[in-house]
Amino acid sequence: MIRIQKYRILFFILFLLLIQAGYAQNKYTIAQIPDPKASGNGYVSNPDLILSPAGVDSLNRTITDLEQRTKVEMAVVVVNDFDAGQEEYDFALQLFRQWGIGKSKANNGLLLFIAVDRKQYRFITGYGLEGLLPDAALKRIGDHFLIPAFKEGDYSKGVVNALGTIAAYLNQPGNQKELSQLLPPDPGQRNTWLWTIANTILVMGLFAAVFFGIRKKTPEISKNKASAKTNAYDKTIGCGCGGLFMILVAAGFIIGFTTGYSWVKSLDMRTIPLVLYLILSIILLARYMNAISVLRKIHQDDLNFSQAVKALNRSSIFYLVASPLILIVMLMEAYRRTQAASRFKPQLDSQNREMSRVDRDQTAPDQTFLTKGQLKEEQLEVNHYDIWLSSDQAAHKIIGYPGSNFADFTVCPTCNAKTLSKEKLVTLKKATYTKEGEGKEVKICENCGYEEFIKSVIIAVRTKSDDSRSSDSGSSSSSSSSSSSSSGWGGGSSGGGGAGGKW
């Protein structure tokens, strides 16, 4: 009987140990984090008793005094671990928004979240504090106060000193000075600036030399040829620049709408040379294609143009260091020359004798052999024509090859040239805000002016664009406010500003 009693006691002790171990290894979800405001325990959530009672008491006094003076709300959460499926940034930001730390209109909240087992900490700031507490300053506070103390296992000391420094700064009457002035000077700051300046000068020098080199390799062009109709390379440059601009604007809008722009302040200045390099490499690509466009306008003859582009690419191989994107253009031009190689093989006349190809860049009698319609096709880049002459110039051959705009035109029934445009709208009477307009959809021959009527079109009355956009922030704000009102926080919000680190 005594033995059974001993076993019962042993099993009971093991059961208690298992419960304690399971509690110690608890991975908290957002809902499981105790809200100190709801329980009346101030501003510190310390469910695993990592902070000492004296440390919690000191933090509550500091934060209470700060809120009374400045209305700023701070919260401290220290746990062993949290949901394994989340990162510390996402967890802390979600917790900040769930509680609504800070006043609803001022958004002046600050959260310090610490996960001991993961050895991670994270500051989250409300919108209103992002200017007073930049991400870089919070990072330096963490590096100077939190990490050294945490490595020694003194979590209370690190948190108390860090929040005491922040509170002292925010308690200054005008908040005129930077937070970094309260900390020892950063010895690496000077070296970082020197590294950034030196590499920025190096990048600018490299691209200045490359742009100058391309300029020297780009031949002069007469005003008549410069004002000639844009070619495929001009269109590629325009579409590329326009598309890139739209992508950047869309990306900026999406990032700003979803996460705010606090991430800009956390960028390392050492990325400046890299960003500058990327921007200049794209500009250099456009400049390089512009040089090819000039060669296209200078050389009416396709063979001369191909040889000129080949020479440009060979002499510019070292420019790939500045812009690897140029390699794409070089490969495309090499492929085009390979495809067109058979085009320039000598033709044979009726006597099986090789014919000579007319150089269109010289004063060749192309006007004699090509019709007005064929010349117009070349101008529109619908077709390109090669002229071959027999040795006695008694016979000739004209062979056409599709141009870059071949699919954009059809054969005109009047002049038989492939210069009839696609359907286009011609406005006959402009629409106003009160009256409809009139127009017609037609096809027009760019050679003879023939017009093929398709249909009449009524142009709708003009309306003023409505720039107002529906905002979904109202519902989210009210949700945050309602959830925080029950816990006692002010209903503040955050765009994700702050800083974090490991030890």
Side-chain angles (χ1 to χ4, degrees), residues 183-366:
L183 300 172
D186 186 359
Q189 191 73 8
R190 177 180 175 85
N191 293 335
T192 301
W193 271 109
L194 291 175
W195 186 94
T196 301
I197 294 173
N199 283 276
T200 300
I201 293 175
L202 181 63
V203 170
M204 293 181 67
L206 170 65
F207 278 91
V210 171
F211 278 110
F212 179 76
I214 292 182
R215 182 179 179 182
K216 288 185 64 177
K217 290 180 173 63
T218 305
E220 296 291 335
I221 184 172
S222 64
K223 292 183 179 181
N224 292 335
K225 292 184 177 181
S227 60
K229 190 176 181 66
T230 57
N231 51 48
Y233 300 96
D234 294 326
K235 294 179 180 178
T236 302
I237 296 172
C239 294
C241 293
L244 179 62
F245 176 77
M246 293 181 64
I247 291 174
L248 292 176
V249 171
F253 175 78
I254 293 173
I255 293 174
F257 184 76
T258 56
T259 64
Y261 295 97
S262 58
W263 59 272
V264 176
K265 297 179 293 187
S266 63
L267 290 177
D268 192 335
M269 68 176 66
R270 287 175 293 185
T271 62
I272 293 176
L274 176 60
V275 173
L276 181 63
Y277 174 86
L278 294 175
I279 294 174
L280 290 177
S281 66
I282 295 174
I283 296 176
L284 178 59
L285 174 65
R287 179 65 183 85
Y288 196 79
M289 293 193 67
N290 175 259
I292 299 179
S293 173
V294 171
L295 294 177
R296 173 74 276 183
K297 293 176 180 179
I298 289 177
H299 296 290
Q300 172 72 17
D301 190 272
D302 288 345
L303 178 59
N304 293 341
F305 168 68
S306 294
Q307 292 175 342
V309 173
K310 183 178 181 180
L312 174 66
N313 289 343
R314 283 183 175 178
S315 64
S316 305
I317 193 69
F318 295 107
Y319 295 166
L320 294 178
V321 177
S323 179
L325 297 173
I326 293 178
L327 180 62
I328 300 175
V329 181
M330 291 182 173
L331 293 176
M332 292 177 61
E333 289 299 317
Y335 176 77
R336 184 186 60 80
R337 287 195 301 273
T338 301
Q339 294 296 106
S342 59
R343 169 181 171 181
F344 303 117
K345 290 182 179 180
Q347 298 289 317
L348 301 178
D349 61 11
S350 58
Q351 303 298 323
N352 287 329
R353 294 175 299 184
E354 288 189 354
M355 306 178 75
S356 60
R357 183 175 174 279
V358 173
D359 187 344
R360 303 291 301 282
D361 290 337
Q362 304 299 324
T363 54
D366 52 4

Side-chain angles (χ1 to χ4, degrees), residues 407-423:
D408 294 337
F409 293 86
T410 55
V411 176
C412 173
T414 301
C415 63
N416 293 322
K418 190 178 174 63
T419 52
L420 188 64
S421 68
K422 290 183 176 180
E423 296 87 349

Side-chain angles (χ1 to χ4, degrees), residues 1 60 74 208 237 240 255 275 359 367 377 440 450 469 502:
M1 192 69 179
N60 280 325
M74 288 188 183
I237 296 172
I255 293 174
V275 173
D359 187 344
Q367 297 280 357
E377 289 175 7
K440 59 181 179 179
Y450 165 79
R469 299 176 181 175
K502 295 184 177 182

Side-chain angles (χ1 to χ4, degrees), residues 19-286:
I19 292 177
Q20 183 178 3
Y23 178 77
Q25 296 175 0
N26 182 35
K27 296 181 182 295
Y28 293 91
T29 63
I30 295 294
Q32 291 173 340
I33 298 290
D35 186 343
K37 283 272 188 157
S39 59
N41 293 325
Y43 304 86
V44 182
S45 181
N46 185 36
D48 297 328
L49 305 179
I50 296 170
L51 300 179
S52 66
V56 173
D57 182 64
S58 176
L59 289 170
N60 280 325
R61 288 198 308 268
T62 298
I63 299 174
T64 300
D65 178 74
L66 178 67
E67 184 176 9
Q68 290 175 351
R69 292 172 178 265
T70 66
K71 305 303 180 182
V72 171
E73 283 187 351
M74 288 188 183
V76 178
V77 177
V78 185
V79 296
N80 280 322
D81 205 351
F82 58 95
D83 188 356
Q86 287 188 282
E87 296 294 330
E88 99 283 353
Y89 171 80
D90 298 325
F91 190 91
L93 179 59
Q94 187 178 348
L95 180 62
F96 186 109
R97 292 173 174 172
Q98 178 73 21
W99 286 359
I101 303 170
K103 301 299 184 278
S104 60
K105 293 183 179 181
N107 292 315
N108 54 349
L110 174 67
L111 167 66
L112 173 56
F113 177 77
I114 301 168
V116 174
D117 289 350
R118 297 198 191 188
K119 298 184 180 298
Q120 292 178 321
Y121 76 90
R122 171 63 62 174
F123 284 106
I124 298 293
T125 56
Y127 289 108
L129 284 185
E130 291 180 357
L132 292 174
L133 297 175
D135 300 349
L138 291 174
K139 183 68 168 62
R140 291 185 61 194
I141 286 177
D143 292 343
H144 184 69
F145 292 113
L146 298 181
I147 292 179
F150 290 179
K151 287 182 178 179
E152 296 174 358
D154 196 345
Y155 299 100
S156 297
K157 175 184 175 181
V159 177
V160 168
N161 289 340
L163 264 65
T165 300
I166 295 174
Y169 169 70
L170 294 177
N171 274 321
Q172 292 179 4
N175 292 321
Q176 298 292 330
K177 298 180 181 179
E178 295 291 337
L179 182 60
S180 59
Q181 294 178 354
L182 300 176
L183 300 172
D186 186 359
Q189 191 73 8
R190 177 180 175 85
N191 293 335
T192 301
W193 271 109
L194 291 175
W195 186 94
T196 301
I197 294 173
N199 283 276
T200 300
I201 293 175
L202 181 63
V203 170
M204 293 181 67
L206 170 65
F207 278 91
V210 171
F211 278 110
F212 179 76
I214 292 182
R215 182 179 179 182
K216 288 185 64 177
K217 290 180 173 63
T218 305
E220 296 291 335
I221 184 172
S222 64
K223 292 183 179 181
N224 292 335
K225 292 184 177 181
S227 60
K229 190 176 181 66
T230 57
N231 51 48
Y233 300 96
D234 294 326
K235 294 179 180 178
T236 302
I237 296 172
C239 294
C241 293
L244 179 62
F245 176 77
M246 293 181 64
I247 291 174
L248 292 176
V249 171
F253 175 78
I254 293 173
I255 293 174
F257 184 76
T258 56
T259 64
Y261 295 97
S262 58
W263 59 272
V264 176
K265 297 179 293 187
S266 63
L267 290 177
D268 192 335
M269 68 176 66
R270 287 175 293 185
T271 62
I272 293 176
L274 176 60
V275 173
L276 181 63
Y277 174 86
L278 294 175
I279 294 174
L280 290 177
S281 66
I282 295 174
I283 296 176
L284 178 59
L285 174 65

